[in-house]
């Protein structure tokens, strides 16, 4: 009899397993693929490896700005080599997670898990008994109902990361974080990039002042963005794809070599027997209470599978808090201070309320801004695009920090502490 069986070895599941062992539980972790989840194997880490390649290429193109002279025409980008480097990084990190689980004496069982009841889980024909179950099954790519998405050359982000040649013309359906990160990366790799976004704006969750600015920088990079535009169908024509997109004014016919589906992700609830267990859903994710308990006693859920902010570090924090609450501890996730980073050029990082959210909540807010163009370090880096924007409430308590510019993903740490600890402007 286990104290806890965890389904899914991603950032939520493996962190929960380690924390549960630290608290004295007898834990089993069930994983059907590789530990590390989407983030480590097919998402954040591989993408950031490619982002670094793109960053170096970008710097090479600007060598004259740094008084480095000489021909660069003979230089070539080797995507196959970059993929090998990316795979080595991922394998190294996956191995590290494996060793962490071993060091904490977490029993790992490989295979597809099926929950039979609140006290039984079946994996590859074997039945295991447990006092509690924690679902950390993650999410999967959301495939829009567009005729032709099954055509050769229409890929998900995971498949794009496995390509060994750079597509000459890349069309991205979806202008969210995944779409805009790949747009910047593959533009630097040499693709002619077009982004089609059905909503009124790319990166719609961001503070709109930052969105307006990033659109200018994206256009300057040569990336074409069509907002308020819907892809109607995709057709294979000889050696290329023909994408038909429509907006209020016109219908566009776009010839491309590759189409990336990046409209979002959805919780993985397949094969878990949710209906038979009486587990309720909410907004397509599993509904949980403040203890991360589902509507079925003894069954808990965390991470992407419950919806909300689908971020690896959110899943990790929820996993830690869930097992601590199982042990009677009164911990909680600071949802008001979750940082998010977007690896575009320039980087964007954000935590807390946007100006639009502050206005909608009725706050009598104040705003402070500083441009990177006036910052000495940014000048020496040759990276003066962007700003830092701080939002405070009527009591001078900092409620939001938004950064667009060099090293935004590093600098947001201070902003996160400010928002989480409700620091004053002073």
């Amino acid at each position: 009899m286990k104290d806890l069986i965890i389904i899914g070895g991603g950032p939520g599941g493996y962190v929960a397993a380690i924390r549960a062992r630290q608290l004295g539980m007898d834990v089993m972790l069930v994983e059907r693929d590789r530990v590390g989840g989407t983030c480590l194997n097919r998402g954040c880490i591989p993408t950031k490896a490619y982002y670094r390649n793109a960053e170096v290429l970008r710097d090479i193109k600007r060598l004259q700005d740094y008084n480095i002279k000489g021909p660069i025409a003979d230089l070539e980008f080797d995507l196959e080599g970059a993929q090998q480097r990316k795979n080595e990084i991922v394998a190294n990190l996956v191995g590290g997670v494996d060793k962490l689980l071993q060091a904490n004496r977490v029993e790992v069982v490989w295979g597809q898990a099926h929950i039979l009841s609140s006290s039984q889980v079946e994996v590859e024909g074997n039945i295991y008994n447990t006092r509690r179950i924690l679902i950390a099954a993650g999410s999967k790519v959301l495939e829009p109902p567009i005729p032709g998405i099954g055509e050769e050359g229409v890929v998900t982000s995971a498949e794009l990361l496995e390509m060994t040649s750079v597509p000459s013309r890349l069309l991205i359906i979806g202008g969210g974080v995944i779409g805009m990160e790949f747009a910047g990366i593959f533009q630097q790799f040499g693709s002619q990039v077009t982004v089609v976004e059905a909503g009124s704006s790319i990166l719609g969750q961001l503070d709109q002042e930052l969105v307006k600015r990033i659109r200018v920088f994206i256009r300057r990079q040569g990336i074409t963005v069509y907002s308020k535009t819907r892809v109607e169908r995709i057709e294979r024509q000889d050696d290329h794809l023909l994408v038909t997109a429509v907006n209020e004014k016109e219908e566009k016919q776009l010839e491309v070599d590759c189409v990336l589906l990046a409209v979002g992700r959805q919780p993985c609830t397949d094969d878990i027997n949710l209906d038979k267990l009486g587990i309720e859903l909410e907004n397509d994710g599993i509904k949980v209470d403040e203890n991360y308990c589902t509507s079925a006693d003894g069954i808990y859920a965390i991470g992407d599978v419950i919806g909300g902010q689908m971020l690896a570090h959110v899943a990790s924090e929820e996993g830690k808090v869930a097992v601590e609450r199982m042990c009677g501890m009164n911990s909680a996730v600071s949802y008001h201070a979750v940082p998010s980073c977007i690896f575009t050029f320039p980087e964007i990082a954000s935590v807390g309320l946007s100006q639009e959210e502050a206005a909608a909540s009725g706050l009598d807010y104040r705003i402070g801004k500083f441009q990177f163009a006036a910052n000495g370090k940014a000048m020496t880096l040759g990276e003066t695009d962007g700003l830092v924007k701080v939002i405070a409430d009527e009591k001078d308590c900092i409620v939001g920090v938004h950064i667009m510019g060099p090293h935004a993903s590093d600098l947001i740490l201070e902003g996160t502490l400010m928002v989480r600890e409700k620091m004053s402007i002073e």
Side-chain angles (χ1 to χ4, degrees), residues 124-202:
E124 305 299 324
N126 297 309
I127 296 176
Y128 302 92
N129 296 314
T130 182
R131 293 182 176 84
R132 300 182 185 89
I133 297 167
L134 176 63
I135 302 170
S139 61
K140 60 184 178 181
V141 173
L142 177 63
E143 294 190 358
I146 299 171
I149 64 167
E151 294 285 356
E152 181 185 353
V154 181
V155 299
T156 65
S157 56
E159 292 163 336
L160 186 63
L161 286 164
E162 295 304 312
M163 290 179 68
T164 54
S165 60
V166 177
S168 297
R169 299 166 297 179
L170 173 65
L171 184 138
I172 300 173
I173 303 177
V177 174
I178 296 171
M180 297 317 300
E181 286 190 348
F182 276 111
I185 289 168
F186 274 82
Q187 188 277 330
Q188 293 297 333
F189 286 179
S191 294
Q192 177 187 325
V193 179
T194 302
V195 178
V196 178
E197 167 56 42
S200 60
S201 173
I202 59 170

Side-chain angles (χ1 to χ4, degrees), residues 88-147:
E88 288 171 357
I89 292 168
V90 170
N92 190 32
L93 289 169
V94 169
V97 174
D98 279 327
K99 288 175 183 175
L100 268 177
L101 292 167
Q102 291 169 21
N104 285 275
R105 301 192 306 281
V106 175
E107 181 183 353
V108 180
V109 172
W110 304 98
Q112 174 66 53
H114 301 277
I115 303 175
L116 304 180
S117 69
S118 60
S119 61
Q120 283 191 328
V121 175
E122 182 261 322
V123 185
E124 305 299 324
N126 297 309
I127 296 176
Y128 302 92
N129 296 314
T130 182
R131 293 182 176 84
R132 300 182 185 89
I133 297 167
L134 176 63
I135 302 170
S139 61
K140 60 184 178 181
V141 173
L142 177 63
E143 294 190 358
I146 299 171

Side-chain angles (χ1 to χ4, degrees), residues 19 78 124 218-219 252 271 295 329 339 367:
R19 184 61 182 138
D78 176 13
E124 305 299 324
I218 286 168
R219 194 180 308 120
K252 298 180 183 294
D271 302 317
S295 51
M329 300 170 67
I367 291 175

Side-chain angles (χ1 to χ4, degrees), residues 14-15 44 69 139 195 215 226 251 303 350 418:
Y14 82 75
V15 169
C44 329
K69 300 178 181 179
S139 61
V195 178
R215 287 196 70 142
Y226 296 114
E251 178 179 285
S350 180
M418 292 173 194

Side-chain angles (χ1 to χ4, degrees), residues 19-20 23-25 132 321-330:
R19 184 61 182 138
L23 294 170
M25 290 189 188
R132 300 182 185 89
V321 169
V323 295
E324 287 175 351
R325 284 189 167 242
M326 291 175 198
C327 295
M329 300 170 67
N330 193 29

Side-chain angles (χ1 to χ4, degrees), residues 361-379:
S361 64
L363 283 182
D364 183 15
Y365 62 89
R366 297 169 60 194
I367 291 175
K369 287 186 277 190
F370 193 89
Q371 308 296 328
F372 271 103
N375 178 269
K377 177 70 182 293
M379 289 181 186

Side-chain angles (χ1 to χ4, degrees), residues 74-376:
D74 295 337
L75 297 177
E76 293 182 5
F77 174 61
D78 176 13
L79 181 58
E80 196 167 352
Q83 186 193 88
Q84 184 177 344
R85 173 179 178 268
K86 176 259 294 180
N87 290 343
E88 288 171 357
I89 292 168
V90 170
N92 190 32
L93 289 169
V94 169
V97 174
D98 279 327
K99 288 175 183 175
L100 268 177
L101 292 167
Q102 291 169 21
N104 285 275
R105 301 192 306 281
V106 175
E107 181 183 353
V108 180
V109 172
W110 304 98
Q112 174 66 53
H114 301 277
I115 303 175
L116 304 180
S117 69
S118 60
S119 61
Q120 283 191 328
V121 175
E122 182 261 322
V123 185
E124 305 299 324
N126 297 309
I127 296 176
Y128 302 92
N129 296 314
T130 182
R131 293 182 176 84
R132 300 182 185 89
I133 297 167
L134 176 63
I135 302 170
S139 61
K140 60 184 178 181
V141 173
L142 177 63
E143 294 190 358
I146 299 171
I149 64 167
E151 294 285 356
E152 181 185 353
V154 181
V155 299
T156 65
S157 56
E159 292 163 336
L160 186 63
L161 286 164
E162 295 304 312
M163 290 179 68
T164 54
S165 60
V166 177
S168 297
R169 299 166 297 179
L170 173 65
L171 184 138
I172 300 173
I173 303 177
V177 174
I178 296 171
M180 297 317 300
E181 286 190 348
F182 276 111
I185 289 168
F186 274 82
Q187 188 277 330
Q188 293 297 333
F189 286 179
S191 294
Q192 177 187 325
V193 179
T194 302
V195 178
V196 178
E197 167 56 42
S200 60
S201 173
I202 59 170
L203 301 172
Q205 80 280 16
L206 276 182
D207 186 283
Q208 287 303 296
E209 182 173 2
L210 271 67
V211 173
K212 289 176 184 175
R213 293 192 181 220
I214 195 65
R215 287 196 70 142
V216 173
F217 302 143
I218 286 168
R219 194 180 308 120
R220 193 186 298 168
Q221 291 164 34
I223 298 169
T224 301
V225 176
Y226 296 114
S227 54
K228 295 182 181 178
T229 303
R230 187 182 73 259
V231 172
E232 206 162 64
R233 63 183 178 275
I234 304 168
E235 300 166 273
R236 165 60 64 179
Q237 295 193 344
D238 299 325
D239 61 344
H240 67 272
L241 292 164
L242 182 66
V243 178
T244 303
V246 296
N247 57 30
E248 294 176 348
K249 298 179 181 178
E250 60 182 333
E251 178 179 285
K252 298 180 183 294
Q253 301 280 333
L254 304 167
E255 290 188 6
V256 299
D257 302 296
C258 182
V259 174
L260 169 64
L261 301 176
V263 297
R265 299 184 65 83
Q266 61 184 355
C268 279
T269 55
D270 306 335
D271 302 317
I272 304 179
N273 298 334
L274 297 184
D275 292 341
K276 293 180 182 178
L277 296 163
I279 295 177
E280 294 179 24
L281 300 180
E282 186 176 56
N283 300 324
D284 294 328
I286 296 175
K287 182 179 179 181
V288 295
D289 63 16
E290 67 278 6
N291 296 313
Y292 300 97
C293 189
T294 69
S295 51
D297 288 342
I299 301 179
Y300 300 75
I302 53 102
D304 287 6
V305 81
I306 66 172
Q309 300 181 71
M310 291 187 177
L311 297 168
H313 49 284
V314 172
S316 296
E317 192 72 4
E318 288 174 345
K320 182 174 77 73
V321 169
V323 295
E324 287 175 351
R325 284 189 167 242
M326 291 175 198
C327 295
M329 300 170 67
N330 193 29
S331 55
V333 177
S334 300
Y335 285 112
H336 72 287
V338 173
S340 61
C341 304
I342 306 172
F343 288 82
T344 47
F345 295 101
E347 286 183 18
I348 303 171
S350 180
V351 64
L353 298 180
S354 66
Q355 183 175 345
E356 290 72 29
E357 289 169 335
S361 64
L363 283 182
D364 183 15
Y365 62 89
R366 297 169 60 194
I367 291 175
K369 287 186 277 190
F370 193 89
Q371 308 296 328
F372 271 103
N375 178 269

Side-chain angles (χ1 to χ4, degrees), residues 376-389:
K377 177 70 182 293
M379 289 181 186
T380 63
L381 291 171
E383 299 280 358
T384 54
D385 290 339
L387 78 160
V388 176
K389 179 175 182 178

